[in-house]
Amino acid sequence: MAQFLPNTYRGKLIIVEGIDGSGKSTQLALLNQWLRSLGLVVSFSEWNSSPIVRGTTKRGKKKQMFTPTTFSLVHATDFADRLERHILPMLEAGAVVCADRYAYTAFARDVARGVGPEWVRNLYRFAVKPDIAFYFRVPLSVALDRILRGRASLKYYEAGMDLNLSSNIRKSFGLFQKRIRKQYESMSKEMGFNVIDATRSIQEQQKEVRQVVMNTIGDALENDILRVSR
Ligand SMILES: Nc1ncnc2c1ncn2[C@@H]1O[C@H](COP(=O)(O)OP(=O)(O)OP(=O)(O)O)[C@@H](O)[C@H]1O
Ligand SMILES: [Mg+2]
């Protein structure tokens, strides 16, 4: 299957993955804070945040016009734009780039939507391989609890309503997340994920996350990464 390109830049790329509510953003925000406190230049990139497809995404979602293939292509465009205009230049400059979701999100979600696994992997073959890919593993019930507790409503596509799994939006969301989780589990080894037991407390997980970062790229953080001038 298609491979990512090696990261030959001075900077380092750290990404987080996992089902909705697994605690990715919480952990990445804390990691980001810590790396900055060490005086390192850190840049952040979030899934589906590129201005280049914003209008299309909004319209497609509102009018429920996306098929699994067009939805996948829109996300790949978003990703390509962020990669070429933001992530790669920051890596070249020597920053640590922290990405909240990466191509693996497409591999999990698009395949859960019925897109071919080889097709979607091939689509993202221009991506750079992360130096560390964290996968926050939680049972479905824990993630659903976390996400549904504070949420009055779910959106059509995030709940996978386009797949006709159930007419009940909460039920559909659960069934869709279950499919996505299965994809994450099956690619975990293949992709070399650093698996974090995300059922634990925020502090316990963060301690392990920082340890993994130090063990994996500690040398580079000390010697290669761009520092904020004080
Ligand atoms: N270890 C934890 N224990 C209990 N609650 C947590 C834990 N980590 C995060 N949470 C809470 O769970 C909710 C979801 O966390 P977070 O937003 O970090 O998840 P996420 O994986 O980024 O979700 P999404 O994919 O929807 O962006 C938040 O309310 C957060 O405060
Ligand atoms: Mg998040």
Side-chain angles (χ1 to χ4, degrees), residues 28-112:
L28 196 62
L30 291 169
L31 180 67
N32 200 336
Q33 235 175 47
W34 176 64
L35 293 170
R36 282 173 201 268
S37 77
L38 299 176
L40 303 167
V41 173
V42 187
S43 188
F44 182 77
S45 187
E46 192 177 8
W47 188 253
N48 201 21
S49 64
S50 155
I52 207 167
V53 293
R54 193 164 292 152
T56 306
T57 305
K58 207 171 161 190
R59 200 158 49 93
K61 281 184 176 173
K62 194 171 169 197
K63 301 196 170 174
Q64 297 174 5
M65 287 160 80
F66 287 123
T67 66
T69 314
T70 56
F71 208 22
S72 179
L73 290 169
V74 165
H75 282 112
T77 306
D78 166 87
F79 183 86
D81 185 50
R82 289 184 299 108
L83 189 82
E84 288 173 352
R85 292 168 59 91
H86 180 88
I87 297 174
L88 296 184
M90 289 310 290
L91 289 176
E92 195 165 15
V96 177
V97 178
C98 291
D100 194 336
R101 299 184 173 279
Y102 203 63
Y104 311 105
T105 283
F107 301 167
R109 278 193 190 154
D110 296 349
V111 172

Side-chain angles (χ1 to χ4, degrees), residues 19-26 101 146-147 200-202 205:
I19 57 173
D20 291 8
S22 55
K24 301 177 293 297
S25 302
T26 304
R101 299 184 173 279
R146 283 182 193 163
I147 208 104
R200 293 172 302 161
S201 75
I202 291 172
Q205 290 180 57

Side-chain angles (χ1 to χ4, degrees), residues 179-196:
R179 281 193 184 190
I180 294 170
R181 191 181 186 282
K182 195 171 154 209
Q183 291 305 319
Y184 275 124
E185 289 296 323
S186 72
M187 74 176 131
S188 179
K189 234 190 184 152
E190 173 198 355
M191 302 299 179
F193 287 159
N194 227 299
V195 182
I196 301 289

Side-chain angles (χ1 to χ4, degrees), residues 13 20 44 124 126 132 135 139 143 201 212 227:
L13 177 61
D20 291 8
F44 182 77
Y124 282 85
F126 59 88
I132 309 174
Y135 166 47
S201 75
V212 170
R227 289 181 171 269

